[in-house]
Amino acid sequence: MAQQRDAVAPLLAKPDAAEPAPVKRNKYPFFCAVLASMTSVLMGYNVAVMSGAQIFMAEDLGISDAQIEVLSGVINIYSLVGALLAGWTSDRLGRRLTIVLANAFFLAGPLAMALAGGYTTLMVGRFVAGVGNGYALVIAPVYAAEIAPASSRGLLTSLPEIFINSGVMLSYVSNLAFSGLPVHLSWRVMFAAGAVPTVFLAAGVLTMPESPRWLAMKGRVAEAKAVLNKTSDTAAEAEQRLLEIEDVVNAGASGGAWTELATKAGVRRVLAIVLTLQFFQQSSGIDSVVLYGPRVLAMAGVTSNTLLLSLNVLFGVAKAGSILIAMSLADRAGRRPLLLASTGGMAVSLLVLGTLFAAFAGARDDAAVAAASFAAVVAFVVAFSVGLGPLAWVYSSEILPLRLRGQGAGLGTAMNRIMSGVVTMTFISLYQGITMAGAFYLYAAIAAASFVFVYTCLPETRGRSLEDMEELFHTK
């Protein structure tokens, strides 16, 4: 193995200033990652469609604020089931079939919601969709990371996040588009629309190649080599990626993944980083805006339901569009600068939003206050989406060792969903208890703490191969 590596090493030397042109990037892994990540559209749609649907559900079924709060947030708790099973499923069935399974849940869950006649059936539908969410959150970034060459890994592992936010935006458009239907139909059509693409996506996923790292883990080295030849920038890179994957697979063959997660110092450090990063991503309050944006703006002085839903669409556009910045810069500027700019911007915008609510709490019809509040919320959404939103997934997926990636990604996703559930299931009670200003001041403090965490604990990973991470974080 060492002789093989020595033989290809000269071919893999990085180009110096004297070389005329960089190696042309391979486009094929981009298309594979796009197709795998499109399942994330359904995840974003199913979570955020409650934002506008809750207005009409409450009127049609007489659902209380407490029940709305639970229905909105419990999908994130339910997704723990899928997140914790995703590592086991993806290691045994493969990455592709796990994505197909996620689509099956996204078909059944929204249909159950659309046909629901009461609160109990709504909860069942949210459970089924939640399991699909957990699967999608884990497997899409893992597949993208494992199919991508180092030159474009930041871009490709950002794709699930851009598609999640595209789903969020589409759910807001759906809320607005179907709001004119009769009340008993409007919210049902909003949920049913999310089931339409699942069959087509599942069929498309089966045309993708399997992850080369999963193939190597299963001893199917020839197939892994064939996939690497199609997804690497050069033949030499494909050979080197295969050698590195085989080294990691062989090194990890002797021990259990869960034992290593619990006992190895370097692995514990990586797992702690993943869990903390996912904690901060959600505890800083992004889902309070995603799911309760119309309610926040209503308390800031916006009174028309149509205007509220229209402004919500603008939130979705800003959130999805901003991730394009992260995608374009992740492999150029690096992970740390984007994360620091993001967390700092989040803290400032949340502080401004809290101050507006504190200073003008009684200004229900003040257009200037409403406009300033809307601008602060948009600033928060943009700051989140250019860094912490997508890069928490990028960073988490690339620092976990191959042999532990499925289990580690599952644990990180579990932390993410728990905190999202806590935020969304407590937001109404929180602002009723400590005022809207107090709620956003709390989120601002958490965002500031996340800035400190990024600055002190996260090394730069841009341009490193996935196997290089084992040296950087001492996980070999």
Side-chain angles (χ1 to χ4, degrees):
M1 186 69 69
Q3 291 176 340
Q4 287 179 286
R5 183 176 289 102
D6 292 341
V8 300
L11 300 173
L12 300 170
K14 294 183 178 179
D16 56 30
E19 292 190 71
V23 174
K24 185 177 180 181
R25 290 189 179 184
N26 187 352
K27 302 294 193 299
Y28 181 68
F30 174 79
F31 294 112
C32 295
V34 165
L35 190 54
S37 301
M38 286 184 70
T39 301
S40 302
V41 173
L42 303 175
M43 181 263 171
Y45 186 96
N46 279 285
V47 169
V49 72
M50 277 291 297
S51 178
Q54 61 183 266
I55 299 171
F56 308 100
M57 293 168 67
E59 184 178 346
D60 183 30
L61 301 180
I63 295 176
S64 67
D65 270 357
Q67 290 174 319
I68 288 292
E69 198 173 42
V70 172
L71 279 172
S72 296
V74 77
I75 191 171
N76 299 301
I77 303 301
Y78 290 153
S79 68
L80 293 176
V81 177
L84 295 175
L85 288 175
W88 182 89
T89 305
S90 65
D91 284 347
R92 282 155 182 78
L93 301 182
R95 301 346 185 191
R96 288 191 311 166
L97 289 181
T98 302
I99 297 172
V100 172
L101 183 60
N103 277 277
F105 283 109
F106 285 136
L107 173 64
L111 288 179
M113 293 284 289
L115 298 173
Y119 185 71
T120 301
T121 311
L122 288 171
M123 286 290 285
V124 171
R126 289 301 261 181
F127 172 78
V128 176
V131 174
N133 281 4
Y135 272 106
L137 279 167
V138 172
I139 196 58
V142 167
Y143 179 87
E146 293 182 348
I147 207 75
S151 63
S152 57
R153 193 177 60 248
L155 168 67
L156 299 191
T157 50
S158 296
L159 288 175
E161 185 69 13
I162 185 67
F163 281 116
I164 287 172
N165 284 276
S166 297
V168 170
M169 181 180 64
L170 289 173
S171 75
Y172 294 160
V173 172
S174 172
N175 290 156
L176 180 61
F178 300 125
S179 62
L181 294 175
V183 170
H184 70 284
L185 284 179
S186 57
W187 64 272
R188 296 180 188 277
V189 176
M190 292 173 192
F191 283 110
V196 174
T198 55
V199 175
F200 303 102
L201 285 178
V205 165
L206 293 177
T207 68
M208 304 183 324
E210 183 53 85
S211 157
R213 289 179 170 81
W214 182 83
L215 291 170
M217 288 170 65
K218 296 301 179 182
R220 296 158 62 177
V221 178
E223 294 175 65
K225 183 176 181 180
V227 174
L228 288 169
N229 285 334
K230 295 174 68 176
T231 59
S232 299
D233 291 332
T234 65
E237 182 190 17
E239 183 69 20
Q240 180 68 8
R241 287 173 71 188
L242 181 60
L243 293 175
E244 291 174 340
I245 289 169
E246 288 183 314
D247 274 356
V248 173
V249 169
N250 293 333
S254 59
W258 291 111
T259 300
E260 198 168 350
L261 281 172
T263 61
K264 217 171 195 177
V267 173
R268 288 200 304 271
R269 179 195 173 200
V270 166
L271 183 60
I273 288 173
V274 169
L275 293 176
T276 306
L277 197 56
Q278 296 292 356
F279 169 85
F280 280 128
Q281 193 214 48
Q282 288 300 322
S283 63
S284 51
I286 186 63
D287 279 353
S288 64
V289 173
V290 170
L291 282 170
Y292 299 107
R295 189 179 290 253
V296 172
L297 292 179
M299 295 191 67
V302 180
T303 56
S304 164
N305 278 347
T306 301
L307 181 56
L308 287 173
L309 295 177
S310 299
L311 293 175
N312 220 31
V313 172
L314 293 181
F315 285 161
V317 171
K319 196 169 188 295
S322 300
I323 295 179
L324 296 174
I325 300 173
M327 291 176 65
S328 65
L329 294 179
D331 289 315
R332 298 178 185 178
R335 281 51 157 164
R336 271 178 60 87
L338 287 176
L339 285 168
L340 290 170
S342 172
T343 51
M346 290 164 59
V348 171
S349 56
L350 286 166
L351 185 63
V352 170
L353 186 59
T355 301
L356 286 169
F357 274 106
F360 303 103
R364 290 288 180 261
D365 298 315
D366 192 321
V369 173
S373 299
F374 174 74
V377 172
V378 170
F380 169 55
V381 165
V382 169
F384 176 86
S385 297
V386 299
L388 189 58
L391 293 184
W393 299 107
V394 171
Y395 203 93
S396 296
S397 65
E398 65 187 3
I399 68 174
L400 285 163
L402 165 65
R403 61 195 179 276
L404 311 173
R405 191 165 296 133
Q407 293 86 347
L411 290 173
T413 302
M415 172 62 79
N416 184 281
R417 293 299 87 194
I418 287 172
M419 294 315 304
S420 178
V422 168
V423 168
T424 51
M425 293 175 71
T426 60
F427 180 68
I428 296 175
S429 302
L430 180 67
Y431 77 71
Q432 288 176 346
I434 65 173
T435 74
M436 192 69 82
F440 285 115
Y441 282 146
L442 175 61
Y443 295 146
I446 295 171
S450 68
F451 177 92
V452 174
F453 169 71
V454 171
Y455 184 80
T456 58
C457 299
L458 300 193
E460 182 58 70
T461 59
R462 177 174 63 95
R464 295 179 180 268
S465 72
L466 293 175
E467 284 67 35
D468 282 346
M469 302 298 178
E470 300 234 20
E471 297 289 349
L472 181 63
F473 291 95
H474 308 293
T475 56
K476 281 194 172 181

